[in-house]
């Protein structure tokens, strides 16, 4: 099913609903409930407003058609939201510690952040700009997401199986970066271009040697799809002139095997206003054109594999002289201070806008290729790189408006959308025939824009999101720092319609990408014992009954488990100065049954999704009593999901005896508790009969809930036996407590079983197959 069909079927439903409402209003003027007309009147809504609401409203329990991944700018994160509802679904921590996800608190995730260390320093934030979804045959496959860090030149890999950051790689050659992440048609490579020129590899050189020693470049990170990781050893870079390389894009279909990176400040100007020199912004925008870099990456990969490279910081770099000699690098003039470079879905055209040129340029790939093949060059740049004559490759120059930046494509052939930063508008235009079609004001100062699958070989149309740089007066004021404003625009008909303003209160997003929701196949649980950051089974996986506390000198190692509603062990006693390592496994199989774990005052915290094993470590250097607890409201007895860390001061002498249970429960109490268990079991049996009497296996949600219920009930056996043993010995106090635990497991099983039963009832499940 295509996205547009999903979208239009939702619209049809919305309209049918709307028509039904209006019909109802007309039919029963005596209705006491508030009618749509009354609400519309009271709230002062226009017909246009009601239409926009109907187009964006996703009824409770229903889901969005598309999922957007937005960069989180200086938050270092990725923001995930649904379209058309614009409901935020997740923040993915990438370059920054994030307690809610345990990221940067658990040892396993600290190891990921540690990959991003630079010069021996922890870098605990990032400036994320451009997310890219992995592609197969030029379309999103929904398996991986890549995102760059502009401030600290790095690239991160997020696995869309669980929406977690798995890898961070540090650029071995650049000092800053901007033109990434963009992927090749089958995700062979992820591109990352330098931004501000500097000596490759990070050495010192005075600015007076800018032209000689300072360089730009572009890195092709090799992605191993099976492993789901970038392979730095198989990656390579291309040395480029110090032209402030900016955005990049890979060719596709017609232009497969090539990549494009534009630049600004090809003037190679160095400011220094405090030294009496005109500032960067004047010197870097003096010329009428900058340069588009055209790179044959397939051939470059062969050149790198053949070893015709210089090794800088252990990384292969194809130097400019080699690139020129091998015929893999060309330049084309492009409009002044360009920003976006966006290849059309068929790969035939490349659209580039100059921020300071009111024209957007459309380049013809056929013409570029012909010029390269015929060696039809207008000259060379100061480094000897052939320059292709702009006139010979330009397809069209279209005046769209002021401050054009980025371009995205429509499902309709030849239709594109370009952001107009200065005009605060979105332009819809025909890039093949060079015609402006429509312009829509947005609020305010649009940066990137995004259509559905808008940078693939198969854009879906339907919606466009305008990623605005300023919100100004759009929302209730919340202090001088305003939220961002993502505006949803309907592009399904001839006239663009603004549908919705979404305040985004996290960093300043740059680019976003949106994928059909159905392509994503995230998991709901891990195999028990999974180290989620490596995907491997942790050596510290702990099953029920295997919990233990071991001491080796000053090192105390805990292997524990989490399950509703207790942490095992419930008491951890150590000596002052001990190094404590706690490995925890969440034994749950039930969907959404995450547990947290924190030890107060020790900065210890984590998040355990079903099946996950993760580790927290600390030195118990402060003696005292430290309650620990689960931080997720996971069950009715969540508050009781607790324990104590006792840190005994050095030289402490015991003042009291062992922890002894008070003898206060009697035989009558025990029998009362057992009766409760027996009654509960009768309820469970009824539910089991209902479920197994139906074809529950045909209903995956009900089947999973039922499986979880059976598992919970299985845990009741142990406490039941203990209760009976204690009762047989006449220890009714202990027997009553164990019977209480037996009952806890029954209650959890009943809760899950009832949810399964409700699910089957709602689905109208038929009788079991004989
Ligand atoms: S950039 Cu910010 S609006 Cu980093 Cu793609 Cu254009
Ligand atoms: Cu587990 Cu609260």
């Amino acid at each position: 099913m295509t996205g547009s069909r999903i979208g239009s079927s939702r619209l049809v439903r919305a309209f049918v609903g709307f028509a039904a409402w209006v019909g109802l209003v007309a039919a029963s003027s005596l209705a006491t409930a508030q009618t749509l007309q009354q609400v519309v009147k009271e709230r002062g809504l226009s017909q246009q407003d009601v239409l926009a609401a109907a187009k964006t409203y996703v009824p409770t329990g229903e889901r969005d058609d598309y999922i957007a991944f937005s960069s989180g700018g200086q938050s270092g994160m990725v923001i995930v939201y649904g379209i058309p509802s614009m409901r935020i679904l997740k923040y993915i921590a990438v370059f920054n510690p994030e307690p809610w996800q345990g990221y940067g608190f658990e040892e396993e995730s600290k190891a990921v952040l540690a990959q991003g260390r630079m010069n021996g320093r922890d870098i605990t934030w990032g400036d994320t700009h451009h997310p890219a979804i992995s592609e197969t045959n030029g379309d999103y496959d929904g398996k991986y997401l890549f995102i760059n860090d502009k401030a600290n030149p790095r690239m991160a890999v997020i696995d869309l199986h669980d929406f977690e950051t798995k890898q961070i790689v540090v650029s071995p050659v650049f000092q800053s970066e901007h033109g990434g992440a963009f992927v090749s048609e089958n995700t062979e490579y992820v591109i990352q271009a330098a931004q501000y020129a500097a000596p490759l590899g990070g050495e010192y050189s005075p600015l007076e040697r800018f032209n000689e020693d300072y360089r730009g470049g572009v890195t092709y990170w090799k992605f191993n799809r099976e492993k789901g990781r970038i392979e730095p050893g198989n990656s390579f870079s291309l040395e480029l002139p110090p032209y402030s390389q900016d955005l990049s894009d890979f060719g596709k279909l017609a232009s497969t095997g090539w990549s494009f990176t534009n630049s600004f400040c090809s003037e190679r100007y160095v400011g220094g206003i405090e030294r009496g020199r005109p500032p960067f912004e004047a010197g870097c925008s003096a010329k009428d054109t900058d340069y588009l870099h055209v790179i044959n990456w397939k051939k470059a990969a062969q050149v790198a594999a053949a070893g015709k490279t210089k090794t800088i910081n252990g990384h292969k770099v194809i130097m400019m002289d080699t690139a020129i000699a091998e015929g893999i690098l060309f330049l084309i003039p492009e409009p002044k201070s360009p920003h976006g470079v966006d290849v059309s879905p068929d790969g035939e055209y490349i659209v580039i806008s100059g921020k300071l040129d009111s024209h957007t340029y459309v380049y013809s790939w056929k013409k570029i290729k012909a010029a390269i093949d015929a060696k039809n060059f207008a000259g060379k740049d100061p480094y000897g790189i052939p320059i292709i004559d702009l006139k010979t490759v330009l397809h069209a120059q279209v005046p769209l408006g002021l401050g054009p930046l980025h371009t995205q494509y429509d499902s309709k052939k030849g239709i594109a959308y370009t952001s107009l930063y200065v005009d605060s508008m979105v332009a819809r235009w025909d890039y093949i025939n060079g015609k402006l079609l429509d312009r829509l004001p947005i609020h305010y100062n649009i940066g990137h824009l995004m259509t559905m699958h808008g940078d693939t070989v198969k854009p879906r149309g339907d919606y466009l999101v305008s990623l605005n740089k300023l919100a100004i007066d759009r929302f209730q004021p919340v202090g001088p720092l305003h939220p961002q404003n993502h505006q949803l625009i309907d592009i399904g008909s001839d006239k663009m319609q603004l549908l919705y303003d979404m305040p985004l209160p996290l960093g300043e997003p740059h680019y976003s990408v949106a994928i059909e929701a159905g392509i994503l196949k995230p998991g709901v649980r891990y195999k028990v014992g999974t180290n989620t950051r490596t995907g491997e089974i942790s050596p510290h996986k702990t099953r029920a009954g295997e919990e233990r506390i071991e001491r080796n000198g000053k090192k105390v190692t805990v292997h524990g488990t989490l399950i509703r509603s207790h942490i095992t062990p419930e008491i951890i006693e150590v000596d002052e100065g001990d190094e404590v390592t706690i490995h925890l496994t969440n034994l749950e199989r039930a969907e959404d049954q995450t547990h947290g774990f924190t030890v107060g005052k020790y900065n210890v915290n984590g998040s355990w999704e079903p099946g996950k094993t993760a580790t927290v470590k600390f030195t118990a250097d402060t003696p005292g009593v430290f309650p620990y607890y689960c931080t997720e409201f996971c069950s009715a007895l969540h508050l009781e999901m607790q324990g104590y860390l006792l840190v005994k001061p050095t030289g402490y002498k015991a003042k009291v005896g062992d922890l002894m249970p008070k003898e206060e429960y009697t035989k009558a109490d025990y029998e009362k508790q057992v009766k409760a268990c027996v009654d509960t079991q009768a309820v469970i049996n009824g539910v089991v009969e209902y479920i197994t009497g139906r074809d529950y296996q045909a209903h995956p949600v009900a089947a999973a809930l039922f499986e979880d219920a059976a598992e919970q009930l299985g845990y009741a056996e142990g406490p039941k036996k203990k209760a009976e043993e204690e009762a047989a010995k006449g220890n009714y106090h202990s027997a009553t407590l164990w019977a209480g635990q037996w009952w806890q497991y029954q209650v959890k099983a009943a809760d899950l079983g009832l949810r399964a039963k409700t699910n089957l009832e709602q689905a109208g499940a038929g009788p079991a197959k004989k």
Side-chain angles (χ1 to χ4, degrees):
M1 229 193 341
T2 70
S4 58
R5 264 153 61 203
I6 301 169
S8 56
S9 73
R10 164 148 304 143
L11 265 187
V12 169
R13 259 183 289 141
F15 278 116
V16 168
F18 183 68
W21 263 104
V22 173
L24 211 69
V25 171
S28 69
S29 56
L30 292 174
T32 50
Q34 232 184 356
T35 66
L36 178 62
Q37 281 181 340
Q38 283 167 342
V39 174
V40 166
K41 194 166 160 234
E42 274 170 26
R43 299 198 65 209
L45 301 176
S46 67
Q47 198 183 346
Q48 196 71 348
D49 294 334
V50 176
L51 188 59
K55 284 182 179 181
T56 54
Y57 181 61
V58 175
T60 174
E62 297 221 18
R63 297 178 186 181
D64 280 298
D65 298 333
Y66 294 99
I67 301 296
F69 296 90
S70 176
S71 79
Q74 325 86 317
S75 73
M77 301 213 203
V78 166
I79 303 154
V80 186
Y81 61 81
I83 292 175
S85 77
M86 307 301 273
R87 296 179 297 195
I88 293 177
L89 300 169
K90 194 166 214 170
Y91 296 140
I92 306 172
V94 183
F95 295 108
N96 56 307
E98 215 292 318
W100 185 59
Q101 301 159 44
Y103 190 59
F105 292 84
E106 301 155 2
E107 294 301 313
E108 290 77 359
S109 58
K110 277 187 193 168
V112 176
L113 279 171
Q115 295 167 12
R117 294 182 61 128
M118 298 177 127
N119 302 327
R121 190 178 288 131
D122 283 327
I123 309 277
T124 54
W125 79 290
D127 187 9
T128 61
H129 274 236
H130 305 104
I133 299 171
S134 56
E135 295 182 8
T136 298
N137 298 325
D139 198 7
Y140 300 152
D141 57 31
K143 298 279 193 272
Y144 296 95
L145 185 79
F146 306 92
I147 193 148
N148 68 325
D149 174 4
K150 169 169 167 158
N152 322 288
R154 298 182 291 181
M155 185 67 72
V157 180
I158 295 161
D159 191 335
L160 293 178
H161 176 257
D162 59 2
F163 288 51
E164 273 195 358
T165 304
K166 305 298 182 188
Q167 186 185 23
I168 295 174
V169 290
V170 174
S171 170
V173 284
F174 302 147
Q175 296 297 94
S176 74
E177 173 282 335
H178 188 226
F182 301 94
V183 300
S184 56
E185 285 161 289
N186 285 296
T187 324
E188 297 95 334
Y189 288 96
V190 185
I191 207 169
Q192 181 169 35
Q195 179 108 83
Y196 304 114
L200 295 183
E203 269 157 34
Y204 173 79
S205 175
L207 282 162
E208 286 70 22
R209 291 194 51 80
F210 191 86
N211 292 347
E212 296 78 24
D213 294 349
Y214 286 52
R215 288 291 179 268
V218 54
T219 298
Y220 297 85
W221 290 111
K222 177 76 188 146
F223 185 63
N224 181 323
R225 186 182 280 274
E226 276 65 54
K227 296 207 178 96
R229 299 291 184 272
I230 283 170
E231 295 179 335
N234 287 324
S235 305
F236 66 95
S237 295
L238 213 68
E239 179 201 30
L240 293 178
Y243 292 160
S244 295
Q245 281 74 30
D246 198 40
L247 289 176
S248 304
D249 200 3
F250 271 99
K252 43 176 99 90
L253 299 177
S255 47
T256 196
W258 294 76
S259 72
F260 309 94
T261 298
N262 52 28
S263 63
F264 60 88
C265 203
S266 59
E267 291 86 352
R268 296 183 291 167
Y269 182 75
V270 177
I273 195 165
E274 67 294 329
R275 298 184 189 177
R277 288 171 61 80
F280 274 106
E281 64 176 310
C284 283
S285 57
K287 287 202 311 178
D288 280 343
T289 55
D290 285 291
Y291 287 125
L292 173 69
H293 302 74
V294 178
I295 299 166
N296 185 337
W297 68 260
K298 279 219 168 127
K299 204 159 165 205
Q302 291 163 7
V303 169
K308 296 177 195 167
T309 52
K310 181 174 169 187
T311 301
I312 303 177
N313 289 336
H315 176 76
K316 291 189 214 107
V317 182
I318 302 174
M319 303 309 278
M320 276 191 289
D321 288 349
T322 310
I324 296 163
E326 297 283 342
I328 55 180
L329 173 62
F330 308 91
L331 299 172
I332 312 177
E334 54 182 1
K336 195 170 182 146
S337 297
H339 198 38
V341 46
D342 298 285
V343 177
S344 66
D346 57 9
E348 293 282 5
Y349 300 97
I350 300 146
V351 174
I352 296 174
S353 299
K355 299 189 290 288
L356 300 179
D357 188 319
S358 60
H359 291 82
T360 293
Y361 289 24
V362 184
Y363 294 77
S364 157
W365 170 248
K366 260 195 207 99
K367 291 181 183 174
I368 294 173
K369 189 71 188 3
I372 291 172
D373 290 345
K375 297 199 165 51
N376 180 14
F377 303 126
K380 286 179 180 169
D381 85 334
Y383 300 92
I385 306 170
I387 301 172
I388 299 169
D389 186 353
L390 173 63
K391 289 192 299 293
T392 63
V393 296
L394 198 60
H395 172 74
Q397 257 179 319
V398 191
L400 297 178
L402 298 179
L405 298 183
H406 299 287
T407 295
Q408 289 268 289
Y409 296 92
D410 200 334
S411 52
K412 296 180 205 82
K413 190 170 167 59
I415 304 299
Y417 300 85
T418 295
S419 51
L420 305 174
Y421 176 84
V422 176
D423 273 340
S424 284
M425 284 187 170
V426 171
R428 169 193 264 172
W429 57 295
D430 177 334
Y431 58 90
I432 297 176
N433 299 303
K435 267 208 324 259
L436 176 65
L437 302 174
D438 187 18
R439 299 207 299 177
L440 181 79
I442 56 78
H443 316 85
Y444 303 94
N445 297 94
I446 176 173
H448 273 275
L449 72 184
M450 151 181 78
T451 58
M452 310 298 100
H453 289 238
D455 56 8
T456 70
V457 296
K458 206 180 150 209
R460 307 296 203 263
D462 291 347
Y463 304 105
L464 180 148
V465 176
S466 166
L467 283 69
N468 306 321
K469 293 294 169 198
L470 301 177
I472 307 183
D473 56 1
R474 297 304 278 189
F475 307 110
Q476 291 291 1
V478 288
L481 182 57
H482 293 232
Q484 300 292 309
N485 184 14
H486 282 201
Q487 289 186 304
L488 181 69
I489 295 163
D490 179 3
I491 55 168
S493 51
D494 289 345
K495 208 78 195 122
M496 291 185 279
Q497 187 198 351
L498 181 58
L499 298 178
Y500 193 78
D501 285 17
M502 176 176 65
L504 206 54
L506 190 80
E508 188 217 288
H510 290 260
Y511 189 38
S512 300
V513 284
I515 182 173
E516 264 179 42
I519 299 173
L520 295 168
K521 300 273 184 271
V524 297
R525 62 180 70 82
Y526 295 105
K527 256 197 203 146
V528 176
T530 302
N531 170 345
T532 67
R533 301 292 164 173
T534 62
E536 286 158 11
I537 296 297
S538 168
H540 304 295
K541 161 181 166 176
T542 308
R543 286 206 195 79
E546 295 176 348
E547 299 92 346
R548 59 199 183 274
I549 302 177
E550 290 156 335
R551 172 179 285 281
N552 180 2
K554 290 294 281 176
K555 289 188 164 60
V556 176
T557 305
V558 179
H559 283 84
T561 58
L562 303 165
I563 195 160
R564 280 155 294 168
S565 311
H566 55 262
I567 302 163
T568 308
E570 298 189 328
I571 300 163
I572 301 173
E573 203 162 13
V574 301
D575 297 326
E576 181 179 352
D578 280 348
E579 286 167 43
V580 184
T581 303
I582 304 176
H583 306 288
L584 293 172
T585 298
N586 180 351
L587 296 174
E588 305 279 358
R589 305 311 294 143
E591 184 161 3
D592 204 12
Q593 277 298 336
T594 294
H595 299 287
F597 176 80
T598 179
V599 183
K601 298 194 177 179
Y602 268 108
N603 200 34
V604 164
N605 168 59
S607 171
W608 281 260
E609 290 78 63
K612 171 171 160 179
T613 295
T615 303
V616 291
K617 260 187 187 166
F618 59 98
T619 301
D621 47 15
T622 309
V625 173
F626 302 91
Y628 53 80
Y629 68 94
C630 165
T631 51
E632 286 261 346
F633 206 109
C634 52
S635 73
L637 290 174
H638 149 76
L639 291 173
E640 290 81 352
M641 193 161 174
Q642 58 163 340
Y644 279 106
L645 167 75
L646 299 159
V647 183
K648 273 190 290 186
T650 307
Y652 176 79
K653 295 274 187 314
K655 292 190 194 120
V656 290
D658 285 344
L659 185 66
M660 291 288 287
K662 278 191 239 102
E663 295 297 332
E664 61 179 57
Y665 300 121
T666 61
K667 188 172 181 210
D669 292 318
Y670 173 67
E671 281 165 354
K672 194 171 144 210
Q673 183 60 63
V674 169
K675 180 164 186 312
C677 294
V678 170
D679 292 348
T680 305
Q681 192 58 48
V683 173
I684 292 172
N685 293 345
V687 173
V688 169
E689 202 177 305
Y690 179 93
I691 293 171
T692 52
R694 280 165 185 69
D695 188 13
Y696 73 94
Q697 302 283 20
H699 301 270
V701 174
L705 286 166
F706 185 55
E707 199 183 300
D708 293 335
E711 197 194 15
Q712 284 290 326
L713 196 60
Y715 287 119
E717 275 308 305
K720 179 171 183 272
K721 245 178 84 197
K722 283 216 170 77
E724 286 162 358
E725 282 166 14
E726 292 291 301
K729 286 188 261 175
N731 298 337
Y732 286 108
H733 180 81
S734 176
T736 306
L737 292 176
W738 280 117
Q741 185 60 37
W742 163 18
W743 188 66
Q744 288 306 331
Y745 282 118
Q746 286 182 312
V747 169
K748 286 174 230 166
D751 173 40
L752 287 161
L754 285 166
R755 270 158 62 194
K757 180 171 177 258
T758 308
N759 183 278
L760 289 177
E761 282 166 357
Q762 284 169 354
K769 288 201 192 86
K770 287 282 163 328

